[in-house]
Amino acid sequence: MDYRAHFANTVLPQLEKLDGFSGATVLRERASGSVDAEVVVMTRWKSMDDVRGFAGDTLSRAVVEPAAHACLTWADDRVSHYDIVLEE
């Protein structure tokens, strides 16, 4: 199963049940001529307290379940958090 399908069919339904979850975007960049692709997942939350409810107190640690690792050749174990300052 590819990661997009895994995210859409497994991860997203779980996230949608959580307080404060307000959406997600999955980006994919495939280098020309390569079968490998980089995937970036961005989730949106109403507050950092809601993020803590999902991820726990170690906010810089990525939450990647074992089934997701089966779809990926590599996963970053760290995440970054950003505030939206302009969106159109």
Side-chain angles (χ1 to χ4, degrees), residues 45-65:
W45 300 85
K46 293 180 181 172
S47 73
M48 288 305 292
D49 286 336
D50 294 325
V51 174
R52 279 185 195 85
F54 164 68
D57 289 330
T58 308
L59 293 175
S60 62
R61 181 181 47 86
V63 176
V64 183
E65 59 187 24

Side-chain angles (χ1 to χ4, degrees), residues 29-30 42 69:
E29 178 186 36
R30 188 177 308 236
M42 297 184 295
H69 280 286

